[in-house]
Amino acid sequence: MLTNPRQKFIELLSSKEAAIICIFIAVISRSLYYYYFFKLANDRVALILTSQNIIDGKGMTIARVFINDLTDKINVPFVGWPPLYPFLLATVIHFFDHSQVMATYLLDILSCIIYFVYLWKITGILKFPPWSRSLFILVQGFLLPDYV
Protein backbone atom coordinates (compact mmCIF):
# COMPACT_ATOMS: atom_id res chain seq x y z
CA MET A 1 0.00 0.00 0.00
CA LEU A 2 1.36 3.37 -1.05
CA THR A 3 1.22 6.09 1.56
CA ASN A 4 3.35 8.72 -0.10
CA PRO A 5 1.20 11.12 -2.25
CA ARG A 6 4.02 11.48 -4.78
CA GLN A 7 4.18 7.72 -5.24
CA LYS A 8 0.39 7.57 -5.66
CA PHE A 9 0.57 10.29 -8.30
CA ILE A 10 3.36 8.48 -10.17
CA GLU A 11 1.46 5.18 -9.95
CA LEU A 12 -1.69 6.83 -11.29
CA LEU A 13 0.05 8.47 -14.26
CA SER A 14 2.02 5.32 -15.09
CA SER A 15 -1.02 3.27 -16.14
CA LYS A 16 -2.01 2.74 -19.74
CA GLU A 17 -5.48 4.18 -19.10
CA ALA A 18 -3.93 7.39 -17.76
CA ALA A 19 -1.80 7.70 -20.88
CA ILE A 20 -4.86 7.36 -23.13
CA ILE A 21 -6.80 9.87 -21.04
CA CYS A 22 -3.87 12.33 -21.11
CA ILE A 23 -3.61 12.08 -24.91
CA PHE A 24 -7.39 12.51 -25.20
CA ILE A 25 -7.38 15.60 -22.94
CA ALA A 26 -4.43 17.06 -24.87
CA VAL A 27 -6.23 16.58 -28.20
CA ILE A 28 -9.45 18.12 -26.85
CA SER A 29 -7.51 21.07 -25.41
CA ARG A 30 -5.64 21.71 -28.64
CA SER A 31 -8.86 21.32 -30.64
CA LEU A 32 -10.50 23.99 -28.49
CA TYR A 33 -7.52 26.26 -29.13
CA TYR A 34 -7.91 25.69 -32.86
CA TYR A 35 -11.63 26.40 -32.63
CA TYR A 36 -11.44 29.61 -30.60
CA PHE A 37 -8.33 31.04 -32.26
CA PHE A 38 -9.16 29.95 -35.81
CA LYS A 39 -8.41 32.68 -38.34
CA LEU A 40 -8.30 32.85 -42.08
CA ALA A 41 -4.89 34.41 -42.58
CA ASN A 42 -2.94 34.77 -45.82
CA ASP A 43 -1.36 31.31 -45.79
CA ARG A 44 -4.57 29.50 -44.94
CA VAL A 45 -6.57 31.35 -47.60
CA ALA A 46 -3.91 30.64 -50.22
CA LEU A 47 -3.96 26.93 -49.35
CA ILE A 48 -7.78 26.84 -49.46
CA LEU A 49 -7.81 28.57 -52.87
CA THR A 50 -5.19 26.15 -54.16
CA SER A 51 -7.23 23.22 -52.87
CA GLN A 52 -10.35 24.56 -54.57
CA ASN A 53 -8.44 24.83 -57.86
CA ILE A 54 -7.28 21.24 -57.46
CA ILE A 55 -10.91 20.18 -57.00
CA ASP A 56 -11.92 22.22 -60.08
CA GLY A 57 -9.22 20.47 -62.16
CA LYS A 58 -6.93 23.50 -62.56
CA GLY A 59 -4.00 21.93 -60.76
CA MET A 60 -1.98 23.46 -57.97
CA THR A 61 -2.62 27.06 -59.02
CA ILE A 62 -4.15 30.28 -57.72
CA ALA A 63 -6.29 32.57 -59.88
CA ARG A 64 -4.86 36.07 -60.36
CA VAL A 65 -6.31 39.12 -62.07
CA PHE A 66 -4.61 42.10 -63.66
CA ILE A 67 -5.21 45.50 -62.11
CA ASN A 68 -5.88 47.00 -65.55
CA ASP A 69 -8.50 44.43 -66.51
CA LEU A 70 -10.32 42.65 -63.67
CA THR A 71 -12.12 40.33 -66.08
CA ASP A 72 -8.88 38.78 -67.32
CA LYS A 73 -8.18 35.94 -64.89
CA ILE A 74 -5.11 33.71 -65.14
CA ASN A 75 -4.00 30.77 -63.03
CA VAL A 76 -0.43 30.92 -61.77
CA PRO A 77 1.32 27.97 -60.12
CA PHE A 78 1.27 27.96 -56.34
CA VAL A 79 4.68 27.39 -54.82
CA GLY A 80 4.04 27.19 -51.09
CA TRP A 81 4.79 25.14 -48.07
CA PRO A 82 3.73 22.44 -47.17
CA PRO A 83 3.40 20.95 -50.65
CA LEU A 84 1.12 18.02 -49.72
CA TYR A 85 -1.33 20.06 -47.64
CA PRO A 86 -3.46 21.41 -50.56
CA PHE A 87 -3.98 17.87 -51.86
CA LEU A 88 -5.02 16.59 -48.42
CA LEU A 89 -7.26 19.62 -47.93
CA ALA A 90 -8.83 19.13 -51.37
CA THR A 91 -9.70 15.55 -50.43
CA VAL A 92 -11.26 16.59 -47.12
CA ILE A 93 -13.11 19.53 -48.76
CA HIS A 94 -14.56 17.14 -51.32
CA PHE A 95 -15.92 14.85 -48.59
CA PHE A 96 -17.42 17.73 -46.56
CA ASP A 97 -19.53 19.18 -49.36
CA HIS A 98 -17.15 22.05 -50.13
CA SER A 99 -17.06 23.47 -46.60
CA GLN A 100 -13.51 24.83 -46.60
CA VAL A 101 -13.47 26.07 -43.01
CA MET A 102 -14.79 22.78 -41.58
CA ALA A 103 -12.35 20.78 -43.70
CA THR A 104 -9.42 22.92 -42.57
CA TYR A 105 -10.43 22.57 -38.93
CA LEU A 106 -10.77 18.78 -39.20
CA LEU A 107 -7.43 18.48 -40.94
CA ASP A 108 -5.87 20.52 -38.12
CA ILE A 109 -7.39 18.16 -35.54
CA LEU A 110 -6.14 15.13 -37.45
CA SER A 111 -2.62 16.56 -37.54
CA CYS A 112 -2.93 17.29 -33.82
CA ILE A 113 -3.78 13.63 -33.10
CA ILE A 114 -0.84 12.46 -35.21
CA TYR A 115 1.43 14.95 -33.41
CA PHE A 116 0.52 13.63 -29.95
CA VAL A 117 0.80 9.97 -30.95
CA TYR A 118 4.27 10.55 -32.38
CA LEU A 119 5.24 12.66 -29.41
CA TRP A 120 4.24 9.70 -27.23
CA LYS A 121 6.41 7.38 -29.33
CA ILE A 122 9.39 9.76 -29.27
CA THR A 123 9.26 10.08 -25.50
CA GLY A 124 9.21 6.28 -25.35
CA ILE A 125 12.28 6.05 -27.55
CA LEU A 126 14.02 8.58 -25.30
CA LYS A 127 13.23 6.31 -22.33
CA PHE A 128 11.05 8.77 -20.41
CA PRO A 129 9.32 7.12 -17.44
CA PRO A 130 5.62 6.38 -18.16
CA TRP A 131 4.36 8.98 -15.68
CA SER A 132 6.65 11.61 -17.22
CA ARG A 133 5.40 10.78 -20.72
CA SER A 134 1.79 11.24 -19.67
CA LEU A 135 2.53 14.51 -17.91
CA PHE A 136 4.58 15.79 -20.85
CA ILE A 137 1.75 15.06 -23.31
CA LEU A 138 -0.73 16.78 -21.02
CA VAL A 139 1.43 19.89 -20.73
CA GLN A 140 1.97 19.98 -24.50
CA GLY A 141 -1.79 19.86 -24.98
CA PHE A 142 -2.34 22.96 -22.89
CA LEU A 143 0.49 25.03 -24.36
CA LEU A 144 -0.68 27.53 -26.97
CA PRO A 145 1.69 27.44 -29.93
CA ASP A 146 2.48 30.54 -31.96
CA TYR A 147 1.16 29.10 -35.22
CA VAL A 148 -2.47 28.82 -34.03
Side-chain angles (χ1 to χ4, degrees):
M1 180 114 181
L2 300 172
T3 57
N4 187 355
R6 182 177 183 272
Q7 287 293 64
K8 286 182 183 180
F9 182 71
I10 289 174
E11 176 89 13
L12 177 71
L13 283 179
S14 295
S15 69
K16 189 174 186 175
E17 294 83 14
I20 293 170
I21 290 171
C22 286
I23 291 175
F24 181 74
I25 290 172
V27 168
I28 294 296
S29 170
R30 190 64 64 92
S31 300
L32 289 173
Y33 284 149
Y34 287 152
Y35 180 76
Y36 285 112
F37 296 108
F38 185 84
K39 57 184 174 276
L40 289 174
N42 294 339
D43 288 344
R44 192 172 297 238
V45 170
L47 292 169
I48 289 173
L49 289 174
T50 305
S51 300
Q52 193 61 47
N53 279 349
I54 290 171
I55 291 171
D56 295 338
K58 298 175 185 170
M60 200 162 158
T61 61
I62 291 183
R64 303 284 172 130
V65 294
F66 293 107
I67 196 161
N68 297 337
D69 185 13
L70 295 178
T71 60
D72 190 19
K73 186 165 68 167
I74 61 167
N75 289 322
V76 295
F78 177 73
V79 186
W81 189 260
L84 184 61
Y85 188 80
F87 292 106
L88 291 173
L89 188 58
T91 305
V92 177
I93 287 172
H94 183 70
F95 284 123
F96 282 95
D97 198 29
H98 299 280
S99 173
Q100 290 95 353
V101 174
M102 179 62 132
T104 306
Y105 179 66
L106 288 176
L107 197 57
D108 287 346
I109 292 173
L110 178 66
S111 64
C112 173
I113 292 169
I114 293 169
Y115 168 72
F116 285 123
V117 168
Y118 276 104
L119 195 60
W120 178 260
K121 290 181 184 251
I122 288 171
T123 54
I125 291 171
L126 294 174
K127 305 284 189 222
F128 279 38
W131 65 271
S132 176
R133 293 170 73 187
S134 297
L135 200 59
F136 183 70
I137 295 292
L138 200 57
V139 167
Q140 285 295 314
F142 284 106
L143 287 178
L144 182 61
D146 291 336
Y147 57 85
V148 172

Short mmCIF file of all heavy atoms in Angstrom, two decimals, residues 25-35 112 115-116 139-145 147-148:
data_model
loop_
_atom_site.label_atom_id
_atom_site.label_comp_id
_atom_site.label_asym_id
_atom_site.label_seq_id
_atom_site.Cartn_x
_atom_site.Cartn_y
_atom_site.Cartn_z
N ILE A 25 -7.22 14.25 -23.49
CA ILE A 25 -7.38 15.60 -22.94
C ILE A 25 -6.52 16.59 -23.73
O ILE A 25 -6.95 17.72 -24.01
CB ILE A 25 -7.05 15.62 -21.44
CG1 ILE A 25 -8.12 14.88 -20.65
CG2 ILE A 25 -6.92 17.05 -20.92
CD1 ILE A 25 -7.78 14.68 -19.19
N ALA A 26 -5.31 16.18 -24.10
CA ALA A 26 -4.43 17.06 -24.87
C ALA A 26 -5.02 17.37 -26.23
O ALA A 26 -4.99 18.52 -26.69
CB ALA A 26 -3.05 16.41 -25.02
N VAL A 27 -5.61 16.36 -26.89
CA VAL A 27 -6.23 16.58 -28.20
C VAL A 27 -7.45 17.48 -28.07
O VAL A 27 -7.64 18.40 -28.88
CB VAL A 27 -6.59 15.23 -28.87
CG1 VAL A 27 -7.49 15.43 -30.07
CG2 VAL A 27 -5.34 14.48 -29.26
N ILE A 28 -8.27 17.27 -27.06
CA ILE A 28 -9.45 18.12 -26.85
C ILE A 28 -9.01 19.56 -26.56
O ILE A 28 -9.58 20.51 -27.12
CB ILE A 28 -10.31 17.57 -25.69
CG1 ILE A 28 -10.92 16.23 -26.07
CG2 ILE A 28 -11.40 18.56 -25.31
CD1 ILE A 28 -11.87 16.28 -27.23
N SER A 29 -8.00 19.73 -25.73
CA SER A 29 -7.51 21.07 -25.41
C SER A 29 -6.99 21.78 -26.65
O SER A 29 -7.33 22.94 -26.91
CB SER A 29 -6.41 20.98 -24.36
OG SER A 29 -5.78 22.21 -24.20
N ARG A 30 -6.18 21.09 -27.43
CA ARG A 30 -5.64 21.71 -28.64
C ARG A 30 -6.74 21.98 -29.66
O ARG A 30 -6.72 22.99 -30.37
CB ARG A 30 -4.55 20.80 -29.21
CG ARG A 30 -3.73 21.38 -30.32
CD ARG A 30 -2.88 22.58 -29.92
NE ARG A 30 -1.87 22.28 -28.94
CZ ARG A 30 -0.62 21.94 -29.22
NH1 ARG A 30 -0.23 21.86 -30.46
NH2 ARG A 30 0.23 21.71 -28.25
N SER A 31 -7.73 21.10 -29.74
CA SER A 31 -8.86 21.32 -30.64
C SER A 31 -9.65 22.57 -30.25
O SER A 31 -10.11 23.32 -31.12
CB SER A 31 -9.79 20.11 -30.65
OG SER A 31 -9.11 18.97 -31.07
N LEU A 32 -9.81 22.78 -28.96
CA LEU A 32 -10.50 23.99 -28.49
C LEU A 32 -9.69 25.24 -28.83
O LEU A 32 -10.25 26.27 -29.20
CB LEU A 32 -10.79 23.91 -27.00
CG LEU A 32 -11.86 22.92 -26.59
CD1 LEU A 32 -11.94 22.80 -25.07
CD2 LEU A 32 -13.21 23.32 -27.16
N TYR A 33 -8.37 25.14 -28.71
CA TYR A 33 -7.52 26.26 -29.13
C TYR A 33 -7.72 26.55 -30.61
O TYR A 33 -7.87 27.70 -31.02
CB TYR A 33 -6.04 25.97 -28.89
CG TYR A 33 -5.58 26.07 -27.47
CD1 TYR A 33 -4.56 25.26 -26.99
CD2 TYR A 33 -6.14 26.98 -26.59
CE1 TYR A 33 -4.12 25.35 -25.69
CE2 TYR A 33 -5.71 27.07 -25.28
CZ TYR A 33 -4.70 26.26 -24.85
OH TYR A 33 -4.26 26.35 -23.56
N TYR A 34 -7.71 25.50 -31.42
CA TYR A 34 -7.91 25.69 -32.86
C TYR A 34 -9.26 26.30 -33.15
O TYR A 34 -9.41 27.11 -34.05
CB TYR A 34 -7.79 24.36 -33.60
CG TYR A 34 -6.38 23.82 -33.70
CD1 TYR A 34 -6.15 22.46 -33.79
CD2 TYR A 34 -5.27 24.65 -33.69
CE1 TYR A 34 -4.87 21.95 -33.88
CE2 TYR A 34 -3.99 24.16 -33.78
CZ TYR A 34 -3.81 22.81 -33.87
OH TYR A 34 -2.54 22.31 -33.96
N TYR A 35 -10.27 25.90 -32.40
CA TYR A 35 -11.63 26.40 -32.63
C TYR A 35 -11.75 27.89 -32.25
O TYR A 35 -12.27 28.69 -33.01
CB TYR A 35 -12.64 25.57 -31.86
CG TYR A 35 -14.06 26.03 -32.05
CD1 TYR A 35 -14.74 25.76 -33.22
CD2 TYR A 35 -14.71 26.74 -31.05
CE1 TYR A 35 -16.04 26.18 -33.40
CE2 TYR A 35 -16.00 27.17 -31.22
CZ TYR A 35 -16.67 26.88 -32.40
OH TYR A 35 -17.94 27.33 -32.57
N CYS A 112 -3.16 17.20 -35.26
CA CYS A 112 -2.93 17.29 -33.82
C CYS A 112 -2.88 15.88 -33.20
O CYS A 112 -2.01 15.60 -32.37
CB CYS A 112 -4.05 18.11 -33.20
SG CYS A 112 -4.06 18.16 -31.44
N TYR A 115 0.35 14.31 -34.17
CA TYR A 115 1.43 14.95 -33.41
C TYR A 115 1.55 14.33 -32.02
O TYR A 115 2.66 13.98 -31.59
CB TYR A 115 1.17 16.45 -33.31
CG TYR A 115 2.04 17.17 -32.33
CD1 TYR A 115 3.39 17.39 -32.60
CD2 TYR A 115 1.54 17.63 -31.12
CE1 TYR A 115 4.20 18.06 -31.70
CE2 TYR A 115 2.34 18.31 -30.21
CZ TYR A 115 3.67 18.51 -30.51
OH TYR A 115 4.47 19.16 -29.61
N PHE A 116 0.44 14.16 -31.31
CA PHE A 116 0.52 13.63 -29.95
C PHE A 116 0.88 12.15 -29.92
O PHE A 116 1.59 11.71 -29.02
CB PHE A 116 -0.79 13.90 -29.19
CG PHE A 116 -0.94 15.32 -28.76
CD1 PHE A 116 -2.03 16.07 -29.15
CD2 PHE A 116 0.01 15.92 -27.97
CE1 PHE A 116 -2.16 17.38 -28.76
CE2 PHE A 116 -0.10 17.24 -27.58
CZ PHE A 116 -1.19 17.98 -27.98
N VAL A 139 0.93 18.51 -20.69
CA VAL A 139 1.43 19.89 -20.73
C VAL A 139 1.48 20.41 -22.16
O VAL A 139 1.11 21.55 -22.45
CB VAL A 139 2.82 19.98 -20.05
CG1 VAL A 139 3.49 21.31 -20.34
CG2 VAL A 139 2.69 19.76 -18.56
N GLN A 140 1.92 19.57 -23.10
CA GLN A 140 1.97 19.98 -24.50
C GLN A 140 0.58 20.30 -25.04
O GLN A 140 0.42 21.15 -25.90
CB GLN A 140 2.62 18.89 -25.36
CG GLN A 140 4.10 18.79 -25.22
CD GLN A 140 4.79 20.03 -25.72
OE1 GLN A 140 4.49 20.54 -26.79
NE2 GLN A 140 5.71 20.52 -24.93
N GLY A 141 -0.42 19.60 -24.54
CA GLY A 141 -1.79 19.86 -24.98
C GLY A 141 -2.31 21.20 -24.54
O GLY A 141 -3.13 21.81 -25.22
N PHE A 142 -1.84 21.69 -23.40
CA PHE A 142 -2.34 22.96 -22.89
C PHE A 142 -1.48 24.16 -23.27
O PHE A 142 -1.86 25.29 -23.01
CB PHE A 142 -2.48 22.91 -21.36
CG PHE A 142 -3.68 22.12 -20.93
CD1 PHE A 142 -3.54 20.85 -20.40
CD2 PHE A 142 -4.95 22.63 -21.10
CE1 PHE A 142 -4.64 20.12 -20.01
CE2 PHE A 142 -6.06 21.91 -20.72
CZ PHE A 142 -5.91 20.65 -20.17
N LEU A 143 -0.32 23.92 -23.91
CA LEU A 143 0.49 25.03 -24.36
C LEU A 143 -0.11 25.59 -25.66
O LEU A 143 -0.51 24.83 -26.54
CB LEU A 143 1.93 24.58 -24.63
CG LEU A 143 2.77 24.27 -23.40
CD1 LEU A 143 4.14 23.79 -23.85
CD2 LEU A 143 2.90 25.48 -22.53
N LEU A 144 -0.15 26.89 -25.77
CA LEU A 144 -0.68 27.53 -26.97
C LEU A 144 0.47 27.87 -27.90
O LEU A 144 1.29 28.75 -27.60
CB LEU A 144 -1.45 28.80 -26.61
CG LEU A 144 -2.08 29.55 -27.76
CD1 LEU A 144 -3.12 28.66 -28.45
CD2 LEU A 144 -2.74 30.81 -27.29
N PRO A 145 0.57 27.16 -29.02
CA PRO A 145 1.69 27.44 -29.93
C PRO A 145 1.47 28.75 -30.69
O PRO A 145 0.36 29.24 -30.81
CB PRO A 145 1.67 26.23 -30.88
CG PRO A 145 0.29 25.73 -30.82
CD PRO A 145 -0.25 26.05 -29.46
N TYR A 147 1.74 29.24 -33.89
CA TYR A 147 1.16 29.10 -35.22
C TYR A 147 -0.36 28.95 -35.21
O TYR A 147 -0.97 28.84 -36.26
CB TYR A 147 1.77 27.90 -35.95
CG TYR A 147 1.63 26.60 -35.21
CD1 TYR A 147 0.49 25.84 -35.32
CD2 TYR A 147 2.66 26.12 -34.42
CE1 TYR A 147 0.37 24.64 -34.64
CE2 TYR A 147 2.55 24.94 -33.74
CZ TYR A 147 1.41 24.20 -33.86
OH TYR A 147 1.29 23.02 -33.19
N VAL A 148 -1.01 28.95 -34.06
CA VAL A 148 -2.47 28.82 -34.03
C VAL A 148 -3.11 30.14 -34.36
O VAL A 148 -2.73 31.18 -33.98
CB VAL A 148 -2.95 28.31 -32.65
CG1 VAL A 148 -4.46 28.37 -32.55
CG2 VAL A 148 -2.47 26.91 -32.42
#
